[in-house]
Amino acid sequence: MSDVMFGLLAETFLHPGSGQSDGAIDLKVAREAVTGYPYIPGSAVKGALRAAMCDGGEQKTRVDAAFGQVDGAGSVLVSDARLLLLPVRSLTRAYLWLTCPLILERLRRDLERAGLQAGDVPTLKVDHGKALTRITGRIFLEDRLFEAVEPALPDAIVEVIGRLIADDGARGRLSDQLCIIADDDFRWFAENALPVQARNVLDTDTKASNNLWYEESLPPDTLLYMTLTARGSADDDGRTAVAGFVEGQKFLQFGGNETVGQGWVRAGRYPQPSPEGGR
């Protein structure tokens, strides 16, 4: 039986902690040590799902069976939420969704491991300073210039990524805003183009700032994905329960700063069920 994969489209700013401070930014997002790509650790995804199910009125025994207790592991394996699309400012559009060949290769491998159809997604190679997109001519991303190259963006890639986007409007914009750049170029944006917000704590008496810090976040419309796997048994009840809960909720909250409205994502199952309940 195949695993279950969900796309997570950020509706608000998202702060998956905790990354290492570099001096200028006090609270950075969590990043993979090798690639530098932001992600949400599987432990944080699992904790958020467990809390959401408990708050949603699910039976405690069912939640414990799925996610485990102190004296035993649960029946569901929860993956990291991996980065797929990063929104970046552009003079060409309101923003462009960036990804790279390495991330698309990972997505294809994750779909194969999960037993899901990836479609005919080609292996890509993109040179430094170039971009595969349906936009023609020069492309400005932040303060960097890229050149669109032939062939244009493959339809198969747009189709596969679109299956992970639950919102019809966002999915409809994908083909016009998707831009595939070289791995090294993408890493630069992943490390340098994230929003940084100043936050503070006010003194209750004087109302003056008592503490000031700078916090990095993933911007709205960032797209990540995660998988749910049944653990070492043909018994799939736990995974089915968690997947059904996520589909029923549609919106979930991950990361820090929940009380200031951050961390909301919209979950879309891959592939999305047809109206008749098929696949």
Side-chain angles (χ1 to χ4, degrees):
M1 185 176 291
S2 62
D3 297 342
V4 178
M5 180 177 288
F6 284 96
L8 305 173
L9 182 67
E11 298 289 336
T12 63
F13 287 99
L14 175 63
H15 178 73
S18 60
Q20 297 295 315
S21 173
D22 64 1
I25 302 174
D26 301 288
L27 297 177
K28 303 199 76 172
V29 300
R31 282 186 165 82
E32 298 175 0
V34 175
T35 63
Y37 299 160
Y39 78 115
I40 307 177
S43 57
V45 176
K46 180 179 177 181
L49 291 177
R50 178 171 194 147
M53 289 185 71
C54 289
D55 293 343
E58 293 287 327
Q59 292 181 352
K60 185 177 185 302
T61 54
R62 199 178 188 188
V63 175
D64 288 342
F67 295 110
Q69 303 180 70
V70 175
D71 58 351
S75 62
V76 180
L77 307 180
V78 182
S79 76
D80 296 335
R82 287 181 156 182
L83 179 64
L84 181 54
L85 299 180
L86 180 67
V88 171
R89 292 182 298 178
S90 172
L91 295 178
T92 312
R93 297 286 190 276
Y95 68 84
L96 292 179
W97 265 313
L98 299 190
T99 190
C100 66
L102 175 58
I103 284 181
L104 294 174
E105 177 190 323
R106 279 181 166 187
L107 175 63
R108 183 173 62 249
R109 298 198 326 248
D110 286 337
L111 288 168
E112 291 172 354
R113 176 174 55 82
L116 298 169
Q117 281 289 339
D120 188 21
V121 179
T123 299
L124 299 175
K125 183 180 185 304
V126 182
D127 294 329
H128 175 72
K130 305 297 183 181
L132 288 181
T133 179
R134 291 183 178 168
I135 302 169
T136 58
R138 298 189 301 171
I139 301 166
F140 290 92
L141 297 167
E142 294 287 347
D143 57 352
R144 298 183 60 179
L145 175 63
F146 289 79
E147 191 74 27
V149 295
E150 296 292 341
L153 190 67
D155 291 338
I157 292 177
V158 177
E159 179 184 351
V160 168
I161 294 177
R163 295 175 189 170
L164 287 162
I165 300 177
D167 181 77
D168 292 338
R171 192 185 315 113
R173 293 188 280 106
L174 179 62
S175 61
D176 290 330
Q177 292 183 251
L178 181 58
C179 189
I180 305 172
I181 58 177
D183 295 339
D184 290 345
D185 289 331
F186 182 85
R187 176 168 181 164
W188 185 91
F189 286 103
E191 292 183 341
N192 297 284
L194 299 191
V196 176
Q197 299 166 317
R199 300 189 62 202
N200 66 4
V201 174
L202 297 179
D203 185 282
T204 55
D205 296 325
T206 65
K207 304 303 181 184
S209 177
N210 195 35
N211 187 26
L212 175 67
W213 71 93
Y214 291 90
E215 193 171 87
E216 188 178 50
S217 302
L218 291 170
D221 281 1
T222 297
L223 181 65
L224 306 103
Y225 67 94
M226 66 171 185
T227 56
L228 302 175
T229 306
R231 178 176 175 265
S233 171
D235 183 1
D236 189 41
D237 290 346
R239 189 196 60 175
T240 300
V242 177
F245 174 82
V246 173
E247 285 188 278
Q249 294 297 300
K250 293 187 180 179
F251 296 100
L252 298 167
Q253 206 165 15
F254 293 98
N257 303 331
E258 291 183 354
T259 59
V260 290
Q262 293 190 14
W264 285 105
V265 302
R266 181 166 184 173
R269 184 167 177 167
Y270 181 109
Q272 296 178 30
S274 68
E276 293 77 20
R279 299 286 175 160

